[in-house]
Every structure is written in C-alpha cells, then in structure tokens.
Amino acid sequence: MTWLLRVLACATVLLAPLEGYLQEVHPHLAKVVPALLIVSWVAQRVRERRLPAPHPLHALLALFAVVLLASSAVHAADPFTAAYTQRFLPFLVITAVLADVAAREVPVRAVLAAAVGGAVSAAVGALYSLVVDGEARATGPLEDPNDLAYFLVVALPLLIALPARRFLLPVGAILAAGAAATFSRGGGLALAFAAVWLVARRGVSMRAVTATVSGLAVIGLGAVVFAGPVLERALAEKTYIAATNVDTRELRWQAAARMLADNPVLGVGPGGFRSEYPAASRNAEIDEQSPVAHNIYLEIGAELGLPGLACFLGAVALAFVATERVLRARADRSMLAVQASLIAALVAATFLSEQYYLPIWSLVAVAIAADLRREESERDACAARHQ
C-alpha cells in the first residue's frame, strides 16, 4: 500500500499539466488517478487506524470547504454552481491528502521531481504544437497558452531542489523554451519574481542567473534564425491579443470587485462570476457573456466572498511559514525552491484564474509536509536525548 500511495501521489502531480491530453482520450480520465489516490489514502489510514498528523492547514481547508459548500447552497440555482463546486472541492481534498502522504510515505523531493517531469512533458508538447502543428502560440496539452506557461514557469525554480545536477541544464532549457513559446507576459513576469527571490535568498548565484539568461538568449537567437516567419506571425498575433487582453481584463477585474463589494459574505457562488458578469460589467463585452475573471484573488473573492478569499490566502501564508520553519531548522534547503515556485504561481495567478489547476495546491501540500517531517525529526531527536 505504501508503494501504491507513492506511485499515485507522484502520478497525480505528474499528470496535472497533461490534463488536456487525458481529456482527449476520455473527458473524465484526468480524474481517475487523483480519485484512486484519495481512496487508497483512506484505505491505508483506516487499516493503520491512524489519523493524519495534525496541522493548522487541516482546519483551514475544512473551513474553506464549509464556505464553498455554503456559498454553493445559497446560489444553487445558478447554472454554473454545481459544476464548479464539484470542480473546486477535490482540490481541497487533494491538498490535505498530498500533505499527509508527503509527510509519511512519499519523499518531498519525489513530489517535486514529479511536478518537474510533468511540466517537461507539457513543454515538449508545447514545442511540438508550435513547430509541427503550426500553432501561432504553443498550447500542447492545454488550450490556453497562458495556463500552459503557468505550469512551466512554476516548475522551473523546482530544478534547484533536484539532485541530478547534470540534467538540470537540458531540462531547464526545455521548460524555458516551452514557456517562451507561449508568449505569455504573465509567465515571464512570474519567472522574473521567482528569480529575484532566489538570488535575494542566495538560492542561486548571479553566475547561474547570468548563464540562464545567456542560454535563453541563445535559444531566442536560434528561434529567429531557424523559425523566423513562424516567430514573426506569433509575435504579431500576440501583439494584437495583448492589446485586447489589457482592456478586457480591466473590465473583468472591475466587475469582480463589484461582485465582492455587493456580496462580501458568501460571494455570488462557485462559477457565479460567469453568470453574473454581464450585469456586473453592464454588458461591457457583447461577444463574451460568461468569461472568467483572469485573477485568482478577485475571482475567489467574488465567488466565495471574503471568508473564501481569506481561507485561500491563509493556506498560502501557512505554506510560506512552513517553508521558513524548515529553512531555519536547516532541515531541507529545497524549500527555497518551493518558495520561489509559490511566488511564481501567485504572480502568474494575478492574471489568470488558476484555482482549478494543481500547482498552487500541491506546493502548499509539499510545504506543510516538509514542516511535519521537521516536527517529527525534532521529536525523535528530543526523545533520543532523553533516553
């Protein structure tokens, strides 16, 4: 059972960026591995007659679930509520399960390696869609290039946590090239913030940053030389889309802020932003009547109210506190990589609705798991001293 939990936990994280490919095979195939992980975890804990190691995150996730279900009940008549509740709730469960499994059965670095492996596979798909399929912007396993960039830039800082140093350069090059092929400005900004954090915390040296930038410059030069027409077409399309995106996102952020101001307790319900947008925006977008907010904070706040937003931000804050405790105990320097990845995820999510993708949730789980391992190690050391 321990072996099965390890495989399922790593597979859940690894397959997350490949959701689009799995859905092409069957609409619900992407849900199979996470569901098996939850069932196996419950069976293992029942067999052991042991509860998960207690952590404040559990109480926060439980409160988050209560807020989600309460908002869903109040807005049950909304056409999107049921589907979005069923979509959101599993992420809260998976976060708790991953945190417990990574604290006991699965090494933290194995989960991080799985995240990188899935992102590399997605990056290869991204480059294939650009070069072979002739897409103007890389999509690969995800329909939206910006969502794809989110997965790739969040995985990049995790490379410094992996032991196989000789593979870091080629793996990093693939991830960087895939992210660049999406032409996502938010992804580039997120990666820049993560790099600044790592340099400031001495997680990487300026020499490594310089080498990385030089490598990206070489990749860019190669793209100009060997794929000039494709690159020119992609840039032209991105320039046109970018101008439109600035205007539409401002409209959607304003609408989300109005929804939050008008419904601060339980919001407009899961998925309610889509149905309430025409009224809240005063029909600002005639050709788009049910969009997403393209901002994780405003969308969660608008749909679940201030309590839901507080629960989400609280989970992220707990993750940062947990990683800092581990770092101060010098128990695991890989937590710097987790911090940088969280920063990249949070910056990218300022421009995207990423609560329905795994990276933020899995990073929170890994951070809590590392903290639980630290606590257990300190208890064992204390017990040994008193024997």
Side-chain angles (χ1 to χ4, degrees):
M1 184 65 75
T2 298
W3 175 84
L4 180 61
L5 283 174
R6 288 175 178 172
V7 171
L8 291 174
C10 291
T12 296
V13 177
L14 186 145
L15 294 175
L18 307 176
E19 179 181 326
Y21 290 153
L22 298 175
Q23 288 177 341
E24 288 179 3
V25 178
H26 190 279
H28 301 297
L29 184 57
K31 303 174 184 176
V32 172
V33 174
L36 288 174
L37 172 62
I38 294 171
V39 171
S40 301
W41 173 77
V42 171
Q44 176 73 343
R45 294 297 175 258
V46 170
R47 191 180 72 169
E48 297 173 338
R49 297 180 182 178
R50 182 171 64 173
L51 293 173
H55 193 278
L57 178 69
H58 297 127
L60 193 59
L61 290 176
L63 179 59
F64 204 161
V66 169
V67 172
L68 177 66
L69 294 174
S71 179
S72 176
V74 170
H75 301 284
D78 187 275
F80 295 103
T81 293
Y84 274 77
T85 301
Q86 295 172 17
R87 190 177 176 189
F88 204 144
L89 192 59
F91 284 103
L92 304 182
V93 178
I94 282 292
T95 303
V97 171
L98 278 177
D100 188 49
V101 170
R104 289 177 173 172
E105 286 90 357
V106 186
V108 167
R109 276 191 169 85
V111 179
L112 299 181
V116 172
V120 169
S121 300
V124 172
L127 295 173
Y128 183 90
S129 70
L130 187 73
V131 176
V132 179
D133 293 340
E135 297 283 348
R137 297 174 64 198
T139 54
L142 296 175
E143 183 178 352
D144 190 332
N146 295 308
D147 290 332
L148 178 59
Y150 169 76
F151 274 97
L152 303 185
V153 300
V154 169
L156 264 166
L158 298 179
L159 290 176
I160 67 171
L162 304 183
R165 299 295 180 184
R166 60 180 177 176
F167 297 114
L168 295 188
L169 185 58
V171 170
I174 293 172
L175 289 174
T182 65
F183 295 92
S184 172
R185 295 170 299 168
L189 186 63
L191 190 57
F193 271 85
V196 169
W197 180 264
L198 286 174
V199 172
R201 296 298 302 271
R202 298 182 181 179
V204 295
S205 63
M206 282 302 299
R207 180 181 298 180
V209 173
T210 302
T212 301
V213 172
S214 300
L216 291 175
V218 171
I219 293 173
L221 181 61
V224 171
V225 173
F226 295 104
V230 174
L231 186 63
E232 184 178 351
R233 178 166 62 91
L235 286 173
E237 180 175 313
K238 176 60 181 176
T239 301
Y240 172 77
I241 294 174
T244 304
N245 282 348
V246 171
D247 296 332
T248 57
R249 285 182 182 175
E250 184 178 354
L251 291 172
R252 295 174 191 181
W253 293 355
Q254 290 173 353
R258 291 191 195 103
M259 293 180 202
L260 175 57
D262 293 340
N263 305 273
V265 179
L266 289 175
V268 295
F273 177 85
R274 299 186 66 183
S275 56
E276 295 292 329
Y277 178 68
S281 67
R282 303 179 180 91
N283 278 320
E285 294 183 72
I286 302 299
D287 58 340
E288 183 57 88
Q289 293 292 292
S290 58
V292 296
H294 279 290
N295 182 296
I296 193 172
Y297 314 106
L298 287 173
E299 186 160 315
I300 289 178
E303 295 186 350
L304 302 181
L306 291 175
L309 180 59
C311 287
F312 172 72
L313 295 177
V316 173
L318 282 178
F320 272 106
V321 171
T323 53
E324 200 61 31
R325 284 176 180 165
V326 176
L327 287 169
R328 291 185 179 183
R330 297 184 179 180
D332 191 350
R333 292 289 292 174
S334 66
M335 289 300 103
L336 271 179
V338 173
Q339 287 182 345
S341 288
L342 261 175
I343 288 171
L346 295 172
V347 171
T350 304
F351 311 99
L352 300 168
S353 299
E354 296 300 332
Q355 62 269 38
Y356 303 110
Y357 290 107
L358 190 60
I360 285 181
W361 305 108
S362 62
L363 289 170
V364 168
V366 164
I368 300 307
D371 194 29
L372 290 171
R373 285 180 177 269
R374 175 196 61 81
E375 290 179 355
E376 184 178 3
S377 176
E378 290 180 354
R379 285 195 300 267
D380 291 344
C382 184
R385 286 194 299 267
H386 288 83
Q387 284 181 355

